[in-house]
Amino acid sequence: MTPERTGSWKKLTALASEQVRSEGEAPAPLTIDAAGLHADLTKQRLNADVTAALIALAEERRLAEAIENQFTGAIVNGTEDRPALHSALRAPSEAIPAVARDAPRVMAQILELAEALRNGRWRGATGKAITDVVHIGIGGSHLGPELVVDALRTRADQAPAIHFVANIDGEALDQALAGRDPERTLFVIVSKSFSTLETRVNATTARSWFLERTGSLEAIGRHFVAISTNLEAADEFGIPAENVFPMWDWVGGRYSVWSPVGLPLAIALGRQGFEAFLGGGHALDQHFRSAPFGENLPVLMALVGIWNYNFLGVTNQAILPYGERLRLLPDFLQQLIMESNGKSVHNDGSAVALHTMPIVWGGRGTNGQHAYHQLLHQGTRSFSADFILIGKGRVLAEHHRWLNANALAQSQAMLQGQRSEDPHKQVSGNKGTTTLVLPSLTPATLGALIALYEQIVFCQGVIWDINSFDQWGVELGKRLAVPIHEQLGGRSALTQDTSTKDLIEYLRGSAGG
Ligand code: F6P
């Protein structure tokens, strides 16, 4: 049965036409502590009837069964005929389903490599220690590692510096290579498929850069490693087998920060830090698997999302981290959420008759307050927002108090609004927001936060009956880019639609293709 046919969906539709709260009524507190995170959903537009109907919806959609299916390795990605077992990567070995049993062995190698790079045991071909790691990968092979390294790295770290290259724009690689000493640089090529255009082009150029400077094919063995499911392609690229670490079909790219793809985390945080990160994710999983729905953080946040998007007409979801070190969180969550749940057919291929995930966007507070928050307070579009706060900052306590004061003031303004005789100064308020607090920003709390959003995405996929683990929509653009690239370079006749043809001609004329 499709979601909108369930009894609870109908009940929620009726509840949405009623006023959730009478004016001036203080919202009933709704807070949850889980896996070291504190969440306050009190400012969401909920009441007891709505919460009960949302939980009934989760039950009607058999969410409990779906959660068990995820953890036990059932095929939850039907179009690719695979389980989605990223949770196994953060679980103790005795809890890992059979299909993922190889993971601890490979992860031990990854941690060993990271330690060898940190303490200088891994040396370049000329015997020099590695000072710089250039990580080449895109999407899920980039966003998670960069977020975690950017969030947790400290200046005191002795570990090699890590430079991320994702964009095919040569500016990205050029910046990463500027000033690098090839004898002290390690390239990590991360591509689950080893066929992603951007990564292949960047990796090929990096390889030429290295060979031009060292003149030694043999040296590749000390300066290039790869992480991929496609061991053959990595071999063809010239990376020796002992430097290629496997990935597995049962880990989706955007869920792969826990896997060998997380090598940069291990380099930056060391073994202990990486294990604490996994531990935070696992703690969240344990809570998710065992807490009753009414006290279950991922489940409740997922249900609140459904209420906002499907019943209250919310068309966009803002991610507002109040923390400079979490500035990359919106980028990471955009891929995680929109690549997972930006779908318009059910698991059986039939068209959905409801809205799935709205647009996710965001940016760091307080900067956003002086940019787009005007629209949030007085614009005509409906939105909901997640405020993400850090209880105890690392530096400059007074700055941190101001930071958190601003976060609380913003969510309060969004709830209360402001009455005024002057319509220009009127602020409607009544916007649904959730505030998540990490007591401090550590590997464990960041691991829990990332796992939290992964599981929210999963729950929403189950409620909507869509496949959160495929991404067929991105294939078309990839295919179309190939002949356009040929035609831009004048290597084949123009065969495009009128607009694209004109643009190709213009680009060829202005920039030499
Ligand atoms: O284009 C989308 C995508 O397939 C993502 O899902 C993935 O994270 C990214 O490309 C990179 O893929 P790969 O790791 O295979 O290079």
Side-chain angles (χ1 to χ4, degrees):
M1 192 198 286
T2 55
E4 73 282 4
R5 297 233 174 99
T6 57
S8 38
W9 197 275
K10 287 175 190 141
K11 167 109 187 152
L12 286 161
T13 308
L15 285 169
S17 62
E18 295 169 13
Q19 202 175 2
V20 168
R21 252 177 242 138
S22 50
E23 221 181 309
E25 184 188 337
L30 178 53
T31 62
I32 298 181
D33 288 280
L37 306 175
H38 176 76
D40 184 345
L41 292 92
T42 308
K43 294 189 179 87
Q44 290 290 352
R45 294 150 71 188
L46 298 170
N47 62 22
D49 290 344
V50 173
T51 310
L54 286 169
I55 291 172
L57 174 65
E59 279 155 6
E60 274 194 274
R61 299 291 312 136
R62 295 162 65 183
L63 181 60
E65 198 181 308
I67 293 172
E68 275 319 285
N69 285 342
Q70 181 207 128
F71 283 100
T72 52
I75 304 291
V76 292
N77 175 355
T79 60
E80 294 176 307
D81 198 23
R82 296 170 187 169
L85 272 173
H86 43 282
S87 63
L89 292 161
R90 48 200 189 220
S93 27
E94 63 279 7
I96 299 179
V99 63
R101 289 269 158 81
D102 189 33
R105 183 188 60 81
V106 178
M107 292 313 295
Q109 291 175 349
I110 287 288
L111 284 174
E112 220 166 276
L113 168 60
E115 285 303 315
L117 285 162
R118 282 170 67 84
N119 61 27
R121 248 187 311 117
W122 177 293
R123 302 222 157 226
T126 53
K128 294 184 182 163
I130 298 295
T131 53
D132 294 272
V133 171
V134 176
H135 174 110
I136 297 177
I138 197 164
S141 295
H142 157 236
L143 292 162
E146 189 176 32
L147 161 67
V148 180
V149 170
D150 193 54
L152 296 174
R153 172 129 236 196
T154 63
R155 264 186 240 131
D157 277 345
Q158 294 306 307
I162 303 171
H163 313 272
F164 290 92
V165 179
N167 200 342
I168 201 164
D169 185 342
E171 295 283 354
L173 187 62
D174 186 61
Q175 272 173 32
L177 294 179
R180 296 289 85 78
D181 174 353
E183 293 178 56
R184 294 183 175 278
T185 301
L186 178 82
F187 292 91
V188 181
I189 316 298
V190 187
S191 178
K192 185 176 166 187
S193 58
F194 220 85
S195 66
T196 302
L197 179 78
E198 291 88 336
T199 302
R200 283 202 71 103
V201 170
N202 279 325
T204 305
T205 307
R207 190 170 174 271
S208 309
W209 176 92
F210 179 80
L211 289 176
E212 276 159 24
R213 280 155 186 81
T214 62
S216 164
L217 254 182
E218 242 174 60
I220 294 245
R222 301 305 296 167
H223 293 270
F224 279 76
V225 303
I227 292 156
S228 185
T229 52
N230 191 346
L231 305 184
E232 225 167 80
D235 177 58
E236 266 167 40
F237 182 84
I239 301 185
E242 64 275 17
N243 288 5
V244 183
F245 299 91
M247 265 278 284
W248 308 276
D249 276 350
W250 45 264
V251 194
R254 53 194 174 271
Y255 299 88
S256 66
V257 67
W258 322 94
S259 77
V261 171
L263 173 62
L265 284 61
I267 298 172
L269 310 181
R271 178 186 295 276
Q272 253 191 341
F274 188 76
E275 284 173 352
F277 174 75
L278 299 184
H282 180 60
L284 190 285
D285 285 340
Q286 282 180 306
H287 161 82
F288 178 50
R289 221 171 155 180
S290 60
F293 285 172
E295 298 157 25
N296 191 313
L297 186 56
V299 171
L300 274 187
M301 283 184 70
L303 291 172
V304 166
I306 301 271
W307 171 240
N308 284 330
Y309 317 144
N310 293 120
F311 300 96
L312 301 184
V314 164
T315 54
N316 67 94
Q317 166 71 26
I319 303 291
L320 306 176
Y322 274 68
E324 188 68 14
R325 281 177 169 265
L326 290 178
R327 64 193 150 191
L328 296 179
L329 185 67
D331 299 33
F332 170 78
L333 290 183
Q334 280 187 319
Q335 189 209 18
L336 174 67
I337 302 172
M338 294 204 282
E339 201 173 73
S340 296
N341 283 346
K343 308 285 165 65
S344 53
V345 294
H346 290 301
N347 278 300
D348 68 1
S350 61
V352 298
L354 42 76
H355 281 299
T356 58
M357 199 62 208
I359 304 285
V360 179
W361 63 280
R364 80 194 91 159
T366 56
N367 304 25
Q369 291 173 206
H370 303 274
Y372 41 76
H373 278 227
Q374 163 61 33
L375 179 147
L376 300 183
H377 293 300
Q378 287 191 312
T380 56
R381 300 285 175 183
S382 60
F383 70 94
S384 56
D386 288 356
F387 285 84
I388 295 129
L389 276 65
I390 298 161
K392 189 171 170 348
R394 214 175 47 87
V395 292
L396 301 174
E398 184 58 12
H399 285 238
H400 202 76
R401 245 187 313 278
W402 271 120
L403 177 70
N404 283 343
N406 271 282
L408 298 186
Q410 289 296 311
S411 63
Q412 190 177 53
M414 287 173 192
L415 176 73
Q416 293 177 353
Q418 166 175 278
R419 296 196 152 273
S420 171
E421 295 295 300
D422 180 349
H424 295 285
K425 296 186 178 155
Q426 179 95 6
V427 178
S428 62
N430 202 24
K431 311 288 194 308
T433 67
T434 292
T435 300
L436 288 169
V437 185
L438 284 62
S440 57
L441 182 58
T442 64
T445 56
L446 186 55
L449 183 73
I450 293 175
L452 168 64
Y453 278 100
E454 287 180 355
Q455 299 301 11
I456 293 170
V457 165
F458 175 76
C459 293
Q460 291 178 337
V462 171
I463 306 274
W464 286 321
D465 182 26
I466 57 177
N467 183 354
S468 302
F469 297 106
D470 62 10
Q471 61 284 321
W472 297 105
V474 298
E475 296 305 320
L476 174 62
K478 289 185 190 174
R479 223 174 38 245
L480 295 179
V482 177
I484 292 178
H485 174 254
E486 287 289 296
Q487 290 164 30
L488 264 176
R491 288 193 289 272
S492 61
L494 275 176
T495 57
Q496 308 294 333
D497 64 87
T498 321
S499 160
T500 310
K501 195 164 156 238
D502 281 357
L503 287 165
I504 291 175
E505 279 169 346
Y506 183 82
L507 287 169
R508 275 169 44 172
S510 69

